[in-house]
Amino acid sequence: MLEIEDLWVSIDGKEVLKGINLVIPQGETHILFGKNGSGKSTLLMAIMGFSRYQVRQGRIRFLGRDITQLPTFERARLGLGLSFQRPPTIRGVKTGDILAACAGGKVSYQALAAAYDFTGFLDREVNYGFSGGEIKRSELLQLLAQDPKMVLLDEPESGVDLENLQVVGEIIGRLLQKDRRHQRRDKSGLIITHTGFIMDYINADTGYILLNGRILCSGNPRDILQDIKKFGYEECIKCRR
Amino acid sequence: MSEVKERAEKSRDKKAAFGTDLELTDFSREGGKWEYDADYGRFAPEERRHLLRAGIELTDVEHAGTFLQADTAVVHCQANQPGVEVLPITEALKRHDWVADHLWRLVAVDADKYTARTELELDNGYFIRALPGVRIEQPVESCLYLRTDRFAQHVHNLVVVEPGAKLHIITGCTAHPRVNSGLHVGVSEFYVRAGGQLTFTMIHNWAEDIHVRPRTGVRVEEGGQFISNYILLRPVKTVQMYPTVTLTGPGAVASLNSIVIAHPGSEIDVGGRVILQAPHTRAEIVARTITTGGASISRGHLVGLEPDIKAHLECRGLILAPTGHIYAVPELEGRVAGVDMSHEAAVGRIAAEEIEYLMARGLDEEEAVSTIVRGFLRVKIEGLPPALEEEIEQAIRETGKGM
Ligand SMILES: Nc1ncnc2c1ncn2[C@@H]1O[C@H](COP(=O)(O)OP(=O)(O)O)[C@@H](O)[C@H]1O
Ligand SMILES: [Mg+2]
């Protein structure tokens, strides 16, 4: 579904990604681990096509189509959806208005909000004064309304308290069709996580460690997480090198 | 000569404190001789559509009263409900002997050449009054209309909201669709008596070469409430105004909201000043300015003279074109301890990050910009005619396109 080929990306002239290769087949969810600053968010932002993230070399293909030069909104319309690590605040714009735009009349965003105890936020300004957990819930509800074919999640559990963690996990499970049998899943995912908490709510197929803009290793995500937890990133990096 | 006339005479060429200085000889004092129009039959469909964009619906239905002045001529004027008086100011001066005493109390006749000329060469204006305790739910509609090219219109308006009364005035100031130049000077003095409520919504819809100089003073007594909404969405040459509201009685409240779009070639200098002269008074000024290439100065001044007052000033500007210019001047002045005054000002472009965030949700760039602009301009203005809401929406869409 998503194929990334020798992708080099720089931000303000600074080289951040240095030749990423990645293939995520339909129905699979892959996990991206890595220290802060290694380029994980940059990868998701580049897949989504944000202007600051300049592709120097390489290609991004989605659903068999080269999207490397496509504007962000067209990528979204093709079926890419991103939950931001730190989304911007937009003064004056109501959260409900964004949800409505995501839903595009196909689903009732009010019903979605009601299902996840979010109705009280619909009239609030986008991300203005939201707590960490509220931001993530807002992001994920926008994705539910959007119903993307490929879900990109940037640290969906960071800053979320225990009470909200459960809800966040459930929404992600729903986005990635946790309930369906493996062969029947058609949604794909690429998820950045430090805690691995999210892996209890989805089926993760493959994991990677990203370091200094390069993918260092891939393998069973649970094994990788266990090694990181046991030995730390430094040791883990040495061992797998 | 009366003392007022004398002061006016001395100031007939006095420059104003703010704004581009205008040469009054550039304008004509010959307005059209328009006849009274009881059923609005003399308005062409083209004019009607144009007036709608200033919020003016040519009907007596659903309005507590109507006042329509074209150039110097009052062409329509009536009260449609008991408890409300609507008269040309020249009539009001004959009807009530106290009216004269209410003129030039809240605005100084010798403030500048515009006030002085209004005294020396008056072209009428409206008198609107809500009688004591009468709560008028439907708005009174007033329209000051330039129907002749190059004409300089001088009007003097007086509004009195008697104790416990409630009044909403929607005033649309505009020019005939084929009038492109001229000057509008409007002196307005509003008295809100104890416990009274006045909402004053003013929509300006002028043309590329028209200059506008409103001069407004407002007095709000104990427990009274004054809400002002100002909307300017279309091109104009220059607007300069700095209405001053004085809260004279305990518990009086003022709220001044403005939405301004400065188009290329426009020079807008709009301010608001509230003097909190009594304890427990409150004031809020909320200004939203967008430039698509014009220059906009947004001034706000809060003066706290008594303890236990609360006042806030919020001034935000959005620059949507490289040549646009916004100058925000928020001023706070506390003269005693125990005042609670604050301000918040921000001027800038729309962050690319915000636009792209919305694009990641499937909105194209134009839709994303419009969404942000719509949010930016979202200030609570109640009781706007639906046609005007549509006009605001239209202006937002056009603004988004220009990016
Ligand atoms: N907007 C930006 N401007 C400048 N440098 C940036 C920006 N965003 C990220 N970077 C830099 O790019 C590198 C990778 O950042 P990021 O992708 O956010 O890492 P991660 O998500 O793995 O923590 C870091 O060195 C970071 O400082
Ligand atoms: Mg990150």
Side-chain angles (χ1 to χ4, degrees):
Chain A
M1 179 172 275
L2 183 75
E3 298 156 65
I4 295 174
E5 204 182 292
D6 190 31
L7 187 70
W8 294 68
V9 174
S10 59
I11 304 172
D12 298 340
K14 179 183 156 194
E15 215 152 63
V16 177
L17 298 183
K18 302 160 189 168
I20 300 287
N21 290 289
L22 198 67
V23 176
I24 304 177
Q26 181 160 12
E28 288 197 13
T29 295
H30 294 191
I31 309 284
L32 204 52
F33 300 102
K35 283 202 303 188
N36 286 334
S38 55
K40 304 183 298 297
S41 294
T42 302
L43 178 57
L44 297 201
M45 299 301 260
I47 294 172
M48 213 57 225
F50 290 101
S51 56
R52 280 199 85 163
Y53 303 81
Q54 286 180 313
V55 175
R56 298 284 180 182
Q57 198 179 309
R59 281 201 309 176
I60 306 169
R61 293 172 69 80
F62 180 59
L63 300 170
R65 181 171 167 188
D66 188 337
I67 60 162
T68 319
Q69 303 301 329
L70 220 53
T72 297
F73 75 92
E74 289 188 29
R75 301 186 198 205
R77 289 178 187 177
L78 278 180
L80 279 168
L82 169 64
S83 163
F84 288 64
Q85 183 178 2
R86 278 184 228 93
T89 297
I90 308 182
R91 296 299 307 270
V93 176
K94 289 182 186 175
T95 306
D97 292 343
I98 283 211
L99 275 170
C102 290
K106 294 192 295 287
V107 290
S108 157
Y109 71 90
Q110 292 95 337
L112 283 176
Y116 296 100
D117 201 16
F118 203 69
T119 305
F121 293 86
L122 295 181
D123 273 340
R124 286 182 51 179
E125 295 170 76
V126 175
N127 297 320
Y128 184 63
F130 281 24
S131 73
E134 289 160 359
I135 285 179
K136 298 297 173 178
R137 252 195 300 157
S138 166
E139 289 294 298
L140 293 170
L141 282 176
Q142 289 176 50
L143 290 195
L144 268 187
Q146 231 179 319
D147 194 26
K149 298 187 174 80
M150 167 105 211
V151 179
L152 309 168
L153 307 177
D154 196 344
E155 301 195 22
E157 78 277 41
S158 74
V160 181
D161 60 34
L162 275 175
E163 199 177 322
N164 280 302
L165 218 42
Q166 173 89 7
V167 183
V168 162
E170 281 168 19
I171 302 177
I172 294 172
R174 182 165 160 189
L175 276 168
L176 288 166
Q177 306 166 318
K178 161 90 171 161
D179 294 342
R180 297 200 192 176
R181 300 221 325 269
H182 197 277
Q183 311 89 289
R184 303 201 136 254
R185 283 188 203 122
D186 51 13
K187 308 259 174 173
S188 309
L190 179 57
I191 305 182
I192 298 173
T193 179
H194 285 292
T195 64
F197 154 84
I198 225 63
M199 284 153 59
D200 294 342
Y201 290 85
I202 51 155
N203 281 81
D205 300 281
T206 304
Y208 310 95
I209 294 182
L210 196 68
L211 177 76
N212 289 332
R214 291 193 172 87
I215 288 181
L216 207 68
C217 70
S218 64
N220 180 311
R222 291 189 181 273
D223 294 345
I224 295 179
L225 182 64
Q226 213 164 44
D227 286 359
I228 295 170
K229 279 187 174 157
K230 214 181 275 174
F231 307 113
Y233 274 116
E234 298 303 328
E235 284 305 311
C236 187
I237 287 159
K238 267 186 222 155
C239 131
R240 291 181 178 265
R241 194 165 272 179
Chain B
M1 205 192 308
S2 77
E3 185 243 340
V4 167
K5 279 267 185 292
E6 217 169 292
R7 283 166 59 203
E9 198 54 60
K10 279 188 193 144
S11 304
R12 62 182 307 133
D13 294 311
K14 183 176 168 185
K15 274 172 88 165
F18 301 106
T20 306
D21 189 43
L22 303 177
E23 200 56 69
L24 295 178
T25 50
D26 290 349
F27 303 94
S28 136
R29 289 286 300 139
E30 291 300 313
K33 305 271 173 285
W34 311 109
E35 282 174 45
Y36 196 83
D37 192 353
D39 61 356
Y40 305 105
R42 293 170 206 272
F43 286 86
E46 165 196 31
E47 270 185 292
R48 288 175 172 271
R49 277 195 301 276
H50 201 67
L51 285 165
L52 258 183
R53 303 174 83 181
I56 297 300
E57 303 163 297
L58 294 179
T59 164
D60 294 321
V61 181
E62 292 184 3
H63 294 131
T66 39
F67 177 89
L68 180 49
Q69 176 173 341
D71 300 338
T72 64
V74 175
V75 295
H76 194 98
C77 175
Q78 72 181 68
N80 302 322
Q81 283 179 17
V84 58
E85 269 185 87
V86 181
L87 294 170
I89 191 75
T90 48
E91 278 305 307
L93 280 161
K94 291 179 204 154
R95 182 115 19 132
H96 304 291
D97 50 13
W98 50 264
V99 164
D101 285 341
H102 285 68
L103 300 180
W104 301 121
R105 297 279 163 170
L106 307 179
V107 174
V109 66
D110 54 4
D112 52 40
K113 62 172 94 168
Y114 310 106
T115 54
R117 297 290 177 125
T118 301
E119 170 62 21
L120 298 172
E121 306 164 23
L122 182 69
D123 299 325
N124 230 327
Y126 54 77
F127 167 80
I128 301 173
R129 180 180 177 216
L131 297 183
V134 180
R135 304 181 70 77
I136 300 155
E137 300 299 335
Q138 291 180 337
V140 172
E141 181 179 85
S142 78
C143 176
L144 298 165
Y145 190 35
L146 287 177
R147 218 179 195 180
T148 303
D149 204 44
R150 287 189 55 244
F151 181 64
Q153 182 183 51
H154 308 158
V155 299
H156 199 153
N157 309 310
L158 176 65
V159 174
V160 180
V161 176
E162 298 289 4
K166 179 179 172 184
L167 179 65
H168 183 185
I169 298 174
I170 292 186
T171 181
C173 301
T174 187
H176 186 280
R178 270 169 284 117
V179 166
N180 197 43
S181 67
L183 166 66
H184 168 82
V185 177
V187 175
S188 300
E189 297 180 86
F190 300 164
Y191 294 82
V192 182
R193 303 295 189 204
Q197 272 178 48
L198 173 61
T199 300
F200 181 75
T201 299
M202 178 157 78
I203 301 102
H204 275 176
N205 180 22
W206 300 104
E208 274 86 0
D209 241 335
I210 291 179
H211 300 269
V212 186
R213 295 292 182 274
R215 297 292 180 259
T216 304
V218 184
R219 176 188 163 97
V220 188
E221 297 174 7
E222 183 167 358
Q225 189 189 56
F226 175 65
I227 299 172
S228 158
N229 302 308
Y230 175 62
I231 300 172
L232 171 67
L233 306 171
R234 299 287 169 186
V236 60
K237 189 76 195 176
T238 70
V239 176
Q240 187 276 313
M241 63 181 196
Y242 207 153
T244 297
V245 181
T246 308
L247 304 177
T248 62
V253 176
S255 161
L256 277 54
N257 308 301
S258 63
I259 293 176
V260 167
I261 300 181
H263 294 266
S266 292
E267 244 182 75
I268 321 288
D269 185 338
V270 170
R273 177 183 287 125
V274 183
I275 301 169
L276 297 99
Q277 217 176 59
H280 303 290
T281 49
R282 279 184 294 127
E284 184 183 44
I285 299 177
V286 177
R288 294 275 190 280
T289 300
I290 289 179
T291 170
T292 59
S296 172
I297 305 178
S298 180
R299 303 177 196 274
H301 187 191
L302 294 168
V303 187
L305 301 180
E306 286 285 327
D308 304 317
I309 60 103
K310 192 169 168 60
H312 183 68
L313 174 56
E314 184 188 309
C315 180
R316 291 207 275 139
L318 209 51
I319 302 173
L320 297 184
T323 54
H325 178 106
I326 296 179
Y327 182 39
V329 195
E331 292 180 79
L332 302 181
E333 191 178 333
R335 301 245 190 104
V336 288
V339 297
D340 175 357
M341 304 170 82
S342 56
H343 80 74
E344 184 187 339
V347 173
R349 288 166 205 292
I350 301 180
E353 212 198 347
E354 293 176 25
I355 297 172
E356 291 188 321
Y357 181 60
L358 295 179
M359 287 173 75
R361 303 303 184 220
L363 277 68
D364 67 30
E365 184 161 1
E366 212 172 287
E367 293 165 340
V369 170
S370 302
T371 300
I372 293 169
V373 169
R374 192 175 299 116
F376 179 82
L377 292 181
R378 195 198 302 275
V379 280
K380 41 171 196 319
I381 297 182
E382 274 154 33
L384 289 185
L388 189 59
E389 307 245 14
E390 176 47 38
E391 167 67 3
I392 294 175
E393 188 52 36
Q394 176 71 20
I396 288 169
R397 279 196 298 269
E398 287 171 20
T399 303
K401 277 208 181 78
M403 286 278 290

